[in-house]
Amino acid sequence: MASNEQSTSNAPVEIKPIRVLIAKPGLDGHDRGAKVVARALRDSGMEVVYTGIRQTPQMIAEAALQEDVQVIGISILSGAHLGLFPRIVDELNSRGIDDVLLFAGGIIPDEDIPTVEDIGFLGVFGPGTDTRDIIEFVRKNAPSRD
Amino acid sequence: MLQAEINILELEAIINGLRNGDRRSLARAITKVESDSADGREILRQIYPHTGRAHTIGITGSAGAGKSTLVGALARVQRKRGKTVGIVAVDPSSPFSHGAILGDRIRMQDLTSDDGVFLRSMASRGNLGGLSEMATGAADLMDAAGLDVVLIETVGAGQDEVEVATAAQTTVLVANPGAGDEVQSMKAGLMEIAQIMVVNKADLVGADTAVAQLKTLLAIADHGSWIPPILKTIAKTDEGIDMLADEIQKHFDHMRSEEHFDVERRNHVRGQIIDLTRAILQRRLIATTANDSTLETLINQVAERQRDPRSAALELADVISQKWSEY
Ligand SMILES: Nc1nc2c(ncn2[C@@H]2O[C@H](COP(=O)(O)OP(=O)(O)OP(=O)(O)O)[C@@H](O)[C@H]2O)c(=O)[nH]1
Ligand SMILES: [Mg+2]
């Protein structure tokens, strides 16, 4: 809470929850995992923009731009991560978005994790991850917006 | 360079970018306004003279009434008519965690790849921000950014419905068939905030009954020179949306006509100022009571039935205005 003096004057009391975009690219329609993560982040006080399934890299980047999110979480089950992730990063870069935290969830083989991290996805969370770990990761690494 | 100077340059860049149609600047400006930061207030102050071109349209109604689907359909019609479209979609924040899931984009996926559309989701953030403060601010930014039409989606819930009415120039109230009780419980007062009534999901049974009920309510409502039309739509299949867009345009023309312009504009601005003031006072009330023992003392007294809640509220109001006048 702000000090008494501040809160009773007209000084702004800034409200800044972390804003996260959760997207599900690819053609499979399973978004249960994505929804579980979205709800967990919501329950930890974050504002989660949920875009739904079948998102193209271009749609994800455009939504991230319009929503001005600090964090993007991609849920992927199709095995297309090595093809999709670089395209998502390209679409973000072409819009000048270079200050978002990227993480991925879903099925990503261990041997691909270094590559995925190189592409720019700082966090990779496999099936069965405790959502508390994701919350902590986001809290710790989300860039601030001011 | 001093931090303050850097900040001024950054704000200037955002404002210039926004006015030149740079989408990233618009997005960043909304973030600053939404958090009610000092920067946000400065941006709103500077861009206001550049607003007034856009037509702001509020879409309100109960949860699941089909508002997002309707907004998506309306946006497509507006695009066909050559207009650019801004959308502010407000979803409620959780009263427990203060977090929110903002899911309105799901129903407007096709609009994401259209660069004539800018869609921003917003959480209502409880009482702290004040819905009208944020929604009006975002709509003003979209207006200044040159978007022709701004659609504001809100879940109607008492006060919010009234607030969206002042954030927008034209308010569309969305009801569903079969929601007979719902329609009946819409007090005449609620009718008065809407300039257009829509019975969406007209493919379901009971649409005509709902229309008839709305008509009855409308007959006893107190509207001005504009008589609200009642329309049926099937947002899911775009049915009736062209006609809705026509009625929205008619209301805009009515508002802008020489005869009504001054009165309408002054009424709208009056509502805005009063709502924004209410939000500011509400925020101050919360902040003051959080830092003062008066409320706790009063709670104890009323809980013990040593006094009545009304006199306690009056005393609290006195203490608060006393404190405020010291600043
Ligand atoms: N039968 C029928 N269903 C519709 C129609 N319009 C929307 N729906 C459905 O109603 C459900 C809710 O639609 P939304 O557009 O998300 O409703 P909303 O009012 O935005 O919902 P909230 O934002 O959650 O309050 C979806 O399953 C839509 O497909 C319609 O005209 N007819
Ligand atoms: Mg909706």
Side-chain angles (χ1 to χ4, degrees):
Chain A
M1 211 2 60
S3 77
N4 204 8
E5 190 163 343
Q6 247 186 359
S7 48
T8 48
S9 72
N10 273 325
V13 185
E14 295 192 19
I15 323 158
K16 289 184 176 174
I18 298 174
R19 281 173 66 87
V20 185
L21 183 85
I22 298 288
K24 172 86 188 62
L27 294 177
D28 68 296
H30 299 286
D31 63 345
R32 222 169 59 93
K35 280 181 176 159
V36 169
V37 172
R39 262 184 240 121
L41 295 176
R42 187 257 330 258
D43 293 342
S44 75
M46 300 181 201
E47 292 178 357
V48 183
V49 179
Y50 184 62
T51 58
I53 54 173
R54 308 220 164 89
Q55 300 290 296
T56 64
Q58 187 247 353
M59 286 161 93
I60 294 169
E62 191 54 38
L65 182 150
Q66 294 173 24
E67 301 289 355
D68 196 24
V69 290
Q70 292 131 282
V71 183
I72 304 176
I74 305 290
S75 162
I76 189 140
L77 302 167
S78 61
H81 45 278
L82 292 184
L84 273 169
F85 288 3
R87 286 173 51 211
I88 292 173
V89 172
D90 283 349
E91 290 286 349
L92 289 170
N93 287 341
S94 75
R95 287 169 176 77
I97 303 173
D98 51 11
D99 56 350
V100 287
L101 172 68
L102 295 169
F103 74 90
I107 299 168
I108 292 169
D110 283 348
E111 65 264 29
D112 287 350
I113 291 180
T115 317
V116 166
E117 285 174 350
D118 269 354
I119 295 168
F121 284 71
L122 208 60
V124 179
F125 302 95
T129 303
D130 190 328
T131 51
R132 281 173 296 190
D133 293 341
I134 303 180
I135 293 165
E136 200 194 308
F137 165 83
V138 170
R139 284 223 178 102
K140 221 170 108 193
N141 297 294
S144 79
R145 275 279 180 279
D146 37 33
Chain B
M1 225 186 323
L2 289 169
Q3 187 56 39
E5 292 173 33
I6 297 174
N7 196 36
I8 289 170
L9 290 180
E10 191 205 339
L11 278 194
E12 239 178 52
I14 288 179
I15 292 168
N16 289 337
L18 178 153
R19 295 210 52 223
N20 291 319
D22 174 52
R23 294 158 75 80
R24 192 123 190 270
S25 301
L26 172 58
R28 194 49 59 90
I30 296 175
T31 303
K32 288 187 181 292
V33 164
E34 194 185 16
S35 66
D36 197 30
S37 63
D39 286 354
R41 291 181 180 189
E42 180 58 23
I43 292 172
L44 284 181
R45 201 179 62 76
Q46 289 196 33
I47 58 105
Y48 196 71
H50 306 293
T51 62
R53 260 194 66 262
H55 183 190
T56 51
I57 303 156
I59 312 286
T60 191
S62 48
K67 301 176 296 294
S68 296
T69 314
L70 195 77
V71 165
L74 259 180
R76 280 193 298 275
V77 169
Q78 299 290 2
R79 292 294 293 136
K80 272 195 208 115
R81 296 183 180 184
K83 304 219 164 104
T84 53
V85 180
I87 301 170
V88 184
V90 186
D91 278 321
S93 298
S94 155
F96 307 108
S97 68
H98 304 295
I101 291 188
L102 311 172
D104 295 310
R105 292 195 88 92
I106 299 172
R107 311 249 170 253
M108 307 184 212
Q109 301 238 16
D110 54 314
L111 300 174
T112 297
S113 6
D114 179 348
D115 62 12
V117 177
F118 190 102
L119 164 53
R120 181 63 173 250
S121 313
M122 255 186 197
S124 62
R125 296 190 181 176
N127 285 325
L128 275 176
L131 168 64
S132 64
E133 262 183 302
M134 299 187 301
T136 316
D140 282 344
L141 293 173
M142 290 180 175
D143 182 348
L147 294 163
D148 299 320
V149 171
V150 179
L151 301 162
I152 307 170
E153 174 188 341
T154 52
V155 178
Q159 191 56 44
D160 285 359
E161 252 146 7
V162 182
E163 287 191 4
V164 75
T166 63
Q169 294 164 324
T170 304
T171 298
V172 179
L173 187 63
V174 186
N176 287 158
D181 293 343
E182 180 203 2
V183 171
Q184 244 146 22
S185 71
M186 285 182 179
K187 310 241 162 50
L190 191 57
M191 313 256 92
E192 282 151 27
I193 66 150
Q195 285 80 43
I196 297 169
M197 320 272 169
V198 168
V199 175
N200 185 44
K201 308 196 186 182
D203 51 321
L204 305 181
V205 284
D208 291 323
T209 315
V211 170
Q213 284 170 332
L214 283 172
K215 264 196 190 127
T216 315
L217 279 175
L218 200 57
I220 54 168
D222 183 16
H223 40 73
S225 53
W226 170 262
I227 298 167
I230 304 170
L231 305 173
K232 286 193 282 186
T233 60
I234 308 172
K236 229 169 50 172
T237 55
D238 286 351
E239 237 162 299
I241 304 300
D242 254 306
M243 197 162 339
L244 174 58
D246 289 345
E247 290 298 335
I248 288 172
Q249 184 62 40
K250 266 188 219 157
H251 179 250
F252 187 70
D253 296 340
H254 169 91
M255 244 179 8
R256 292 280 166 117
S257 69
E258 220 173 297
E259 194 186 344
H260 303 293
F261 185 61
D262 263 349
V263 175
E264 293 282 349
R265 186 178 53 179
R266 291 182 60 85
N267 282 345
H268 183 233
V269 171
R270 173 183 290 115
Q272 275 191 329
I273 295 175
I274 287 176
D275 267 0
L276 292 170
T277 309
R278 185 187 292 126
I280 290 166
L281 292 179
Q282 171 93 3
R283 190 151 14 89
R284 281 202 204 176
L285 169 66
I286 291 168
T288 315
T289 50
N291 288 298
D292 189 276
S293 59
T294 310
L295 178 59
E296 283 308 314
T297 311
L298 292 170
I299 290 172
N300 290 336
Q301 291 171 353
V302 176
E304 297 296 329
R305 304 213 171 254
Q306 288 162 4
R307 65 186 304 171
D308 68 297
R310 181 157 212 284
S311 76
L314 285 169
E315 182 176 328
L316 184 61
D318 281 344
V319 169
I320 287 171
S321 36
Q322 182 65 42
K323 283 185 89 170
W324 288 354
S325 66
E326 287 163 16
Y327 292 101

